[in-house]
Amino acid sequence: MKLKRLPFFCKSMLAALCLLGAGMTFTSCDDDSEDLTQIDRGAPFDPSQPVYITSFTPSSGGYQDRIIIYGSNFGNVKENVNLSIGGKPVVIATIRDNAIYGYVPSTAYDNVETDTDAEGKEVNKFTGEMHIVVSDGYGNTQEATAPGVFTYTPKKVVGTLCGSTNDYETQGEVFGSFEEARGFAYETTMEFDPEDPDMLYMPYDMIPGWMPNGGAWGGYIVKIDFKNQRVERAISASKFGNRRLNDITFTKDGQYMVASVCAWDQQERTPSIYMIKRDAKGGFSDNSDIQIACRFNCSNGICTHPVNGEIYFFGYPNANLLRFDPEDYFAGVEAGTWTGLQADGAYEEVFRVFDVNYTSWLAMHPSGNYMYITCDNVHTIYRSDYDWDAKTFTTPYVAAGTLGGYGYKDAVGNEARLANPHQGCWVPNQQYIDEGRADIYDYYFADSGNYCIRKLTPDGVVSTVAGRGQSTDGNLWGMEDGDPRADARFRDIHGMAYDAKRDRIYTCDPCNYRIRYYGLDSVVDENTGDDNGDNGDNGDNAEPQGAKFPPLKPAAH
């Protein structure tokens, strides 16, 4: 059972007192002397009498908000009470025969309607029916439904889209529906298909080897299909010679996926960049035409300029940025002269980043004005500005962190400290848009060694937005979902992609074998009508930890 930790403090607990009616009063947070086993919790449940919910307060709220339900014949054993809102179980903290004190579960609604806000804009209104079933523990039950409905307010949370583990972590890899899918155990990056916002692709960085049955294995590409809510293998490892895959991008027109391979089996002649054409169904699969575009000795991150279309990839051995033009590639292939070798002009070096053996990921700004080079093993993010006249990038400079400065610190520029930062993504900021700023994007990235999602603003400010939540085991890492900072924990996350359609950020949590998200817990999918799109594994049935609940006082008779 996953433990939920709710960071409510004494001030907020005291504020709740004004909501409580006579017959259910609480002492201060500091009163720990009372023996709860001796408190009068009212009469036990009588299965011969009906159960009633007369009211609840507040009438609206979001995930982990406190709620009090009033009524009668609830009994005094919370384990015998099944209380739900919108079909989702409420976490019950304390109970007496005429009142229940609990927490609103995630996605606590079973109905979505279109409403208008104060500005006249159409918005989704989420409401849920409140239902209770009380048992005497011997199979005798009574149930009731509350008058009126609860209005659910979506909140930004960390959740699990798909994936899970068994007690021995022997669940293996399973392709199928979001509920069935297992695996996600390898380092990866993530990219949404520019032609299909419901398709997310992930290239696995699997070190080549041989399976016990003699078959070869290596990096392959997985797709997450949001429309059909399935996870499938898209392209097999054999299509890339069973080499490690590091990253993917797409050509400017979106018709080709471009894959970066980290391998050196043929030195400078090793296939390093692959061009993958859409198949007959318009997607990417083993039926796609896959050709070698560039030969190089181990490449990492790759990205495409959104305006001019040239493709950049990062070379690991010399820590250099390399550039090739797809137009040259297509012309050379048609003429039969394309070799993919740098000596033959297939690609060129743009610059080097001060040292060798940098594992780096590239993030092209949506405007094309600059890119970030996120250097994993030196804990630094560089920025390189685009020279529009020369159609290339200029010498990079530090945007966040400091060379070799492993650590954790939210700060500005080179005062910030990072730990093995991985891929990031660009997310528009509505405040910047309203203010008319030239740069409207924040850069969110997976700070793998710090077990969190962090944000780098255009002004160079680094802050933590999710992860490193309260711990019951002494570790900063974990697999808990919930409030982004108070509860959520990650472990060595890799890859990150922004889903503009659902306003969520996805990341792969390979040590926890899950695909996690940061964003609103309630999303209405236009394709399926599904009201959330995740597997609901937010630990809502778990007992909250860390919060001190005031003890119940005896009822006044």
Side-chain angles (χ1 to χ4, degrees):
M1 179 176 70
K2 293 192 296 183
L3 302 180
K4 306 302 295 181
R5 297 165 304 285
L6 304 179
F8 299 128
F9 300 94
C10 291
K11 285 186 178 181
S12 61
M13 294 295 284
L14 294 173
L17 295 178
C18 65
L19 301 176
L20 304 176
M24 188 177 185
T25 59
F26 297 84
T27 62
S28 76
C29 292
D30 297 324
D31 185 5
D32 294 324
S33 61
E34 193 161 14
D35 183 357
L36 298 185
T37 63
Q38 303 301 315
I39 293 175
D40 178 9
R41 295 181 180 274
F45 167 64
D46 183 350
S48 68
Q49 299 297 317
V51 170
Y52 292 103
I53 297 178
T54 57
S55 63
F56 53 87
T57 185
S59 60
S60 63
Y63 179 44
Q64 295 186 342
D65 287 349
R66 289 167 294 178
I67 187 168
I68 303 171
I69 298 91
Y70 298 105
S72 61
N73 200 25
F74 293 155
N76 50 28
V77 181
K78 68 178 182 179
E79 289 77 13
N80 290 345
V81 177
N82 183 346
L83 178 64
S84 63
I85 304 175
K88 312 301 190 304
V90 173
V91 175
I92 297 175
T94 50
I95 187 173
R96 60 170 298 107
D97 61 345
N98 61 1
I100 296 173
Y101 184 16
Y103 289 100
V104 176
S106 177
T107 63
Y109 58 91
D110 49 20
N111 184 55
V112 183
E113 299 175 350
T114 301
D115 201 357
T116 54
D117 62 14
E119 299 177 356
K121 298 179 181 178
E122 284 194 357
V123 294
N124 288 319
K125 182 179 180 180
F126 303 89
T127 58
E129 182 181 77
M130 183 179 295
H131 190 75
I132 190 171
V133 179
V134 186
S135 168
D136 63 357
Y138 298 98
N140 302 306
T141 62
Q142 292 282 355
E143 57 186 280
T145 299
V149 293
F150 180 80
T151 300
Y152 186 76
T153 304
K155 283 187 175 182
K156 279 197 170 183
V157 299
V158 170
T160 297
L161 178 74
C162 49
S164 63
T165 56
N166 58 34
D167 291 340
Y168 303 99
E169 296 187 357
T170 58
Q171 67 282 341
E173 184 170 47
V174 177
F175 295 114
S177 69
F178 283 177
E179 291 75 19
E180 299 166 336
R182 302 288 184 270
F184 315 110
Y186 309 107
E187 292 188 18
T188 187
T189 56
M190 297 176 157
E191 290 291 339
F192 273 97
D193 188 334
E195 300 290 309
D196 184 354
D198 291 318
M199 200 68 72
L200 177 65
Y201 289 95
M202 298 166 41
Y204 278 159
D205 183 4
M206 289 181 64
I207 298 175
W210 296 93
M211 295 185 291
N213 63 6
W217 55 266
Y220 53 92
I221 296 178
V222 170
K223 65 179 180 182
I224 298 179
D225 182 347
F226 287 88
K227 182 176 182 179
N228 298 301
Q229 298 193 356
R230 294 185 63 82
V231 179
E232 304 286 356
R233 186 193 302 263
I235 304 177
S236 302
S238 60
K239 299 295 183 178
F240 307 102
N242 298 301
R243 297 179 176 90
R244 296 172 60 184
L245 295 179
N246 264 193
D247 199 6
I248 57 173
T249 187
F250 295 88
T251 55
K252 178 186 171 184
D253 62 6
Q255 296 309 300
Y256 286 80
M257 178 189 289
V258 189
S260 171
V261 173
C262 182
W264 48 87
D265 51 283
Q266 299 176 32
Q267 298 302 315
E268 71 277 359
R269 301 187 67 86
T270 303
S272 183
I273 305 298
Y274 286 83
M275 298 287 284
I276 308 166
K277 189 177 182 179
R278 290 188 183 274
D279 59 23
K281 295 182 179 179
F284 298 96
S285 69
D286 283 342
N287 294 321
S288 294
D289 182 16
I290 303 176
Q291 301 292 333
I292 299 169
C294 296
R295 295 179 179 274
F296 179 71
N297 184 11
C298 191
S299 62
N300 292 152
I302 190 169
C303 65
T304 305
H305 196 275
V307 178
N308 291 329
E310 64 265 20
I311 292 176
Y312 295 86
F313 59 101
F314 199 87
Y316 172 78
N318 296 314
N320 52 350
L321 185 70
L322 304 160
R323 173 189 184 278
F324 89 97
D325 194 326
E327 292 185 1
D328 295 339
Y329 163 76
F330 290 121
V333 169
E334 185 175 357
T337 59
W338 189 262
T339 66
L341 296 172
Q342 183 177 14
D344 296 333
Y347 57 91
E348 62 182 355
E349 181 178 283
V350 179
F351 55 69
R352 297 194 177 194
V353 188
F354 315 131
D355 207 342
V356 297
N357 298 337
Y358 277 25
T359 303
S360 300
W361 316 103
L362 306 181
M364 182 73 66
H365 190 273
S367 68
N369 287 330
Y370 62 91
M371 75 160 70
Y372 282 147
I373 304 171
T374 301
C375 297
D376 179 323
N377 55 347
V378 292
H379 325 297
T380 309
I381 298 176
Y382 291 94
R383 170 172 166 161
S384 175
D385 296 322
Y386 191 66
D387 184 331
W388 286 92
D389 293 328
K391 290 181 61 176
T392 192
F393 281 89
T394 58
T395 302
Y397 54 93
V398 173
T402 187
L403 186 64
Y406 182 97
Y408 174 75
K409 181 182 179 181
D410 285 340
V412 179
N414 59 12
E415 293 297 317
R417 292 296 178 265
L418 319 177
N420 303 116
H422 205 264
Q423 187 190 26
C425 60
W426 302 95
V427 180
N429 186 320
Q430 187 60 48
Q431 179 182 341
Y432 301 165
I433 296 172
D434 294 341
E435 293 173 353
R437 295 196 191 185
D439 192 342
I440 62 169
Y441 293 92
D442 289 321
Y443 180 65
Y444 289 74
F445 62 96
D447 199 3
S448 183
N450 282 318
Y451 322 115
C452 60
I453 297 174
R454 302 179 81 177
K455 178 177 71 173
L456 173 58
T457 72
D459 299 321
V461 179
V462 175
S463 61
T464 304
V465 298
R468 299 172 69 93
Q470 295 183 68
S471 173
T472 58
D473 57 12
N475 296 321
L476 290 170
W477 63 82
M479 65 173 67
E480 288 79 8
D481 293 331
D483 182 273
R485 291 307 317 276
D487 300 323
R489 292 195 295 169
F490 302 96
R491 178 69 188 266
D492 301 339
I493 52 177
H494 291 85
M496 190 158 288
Y498 175 60
D499 183 352
K501 183 174 181 178
R502 298 164 188 85
D503 193 23
R504 281 180 173 176
I505 293 172
Y506 295 99
T507 187
C508 182
D509 197 341
C511 290
N512 289 321
Y513 308 99
R514 285 160 167 79
I515 301 298
R516 313 281 294 279
Y517 69 81
Y518 164 69
L520 293 178
D521 61 352
S522 302
V523 176
V524 177
D525 195 301
E526 298 174 358
N527 298 308
T528 65
D530 179 70
D531 58 8
N532 192 33
D534 64 24
N535 67 9
D537 185 19
N538 285 325
D540 294 323
N541 289 309
E543 181 72 25
Q545 302 295 310
K548 292 180 66 177
F549 297 100
L552 290 169
K553 287 292 188 181
H557 295 290

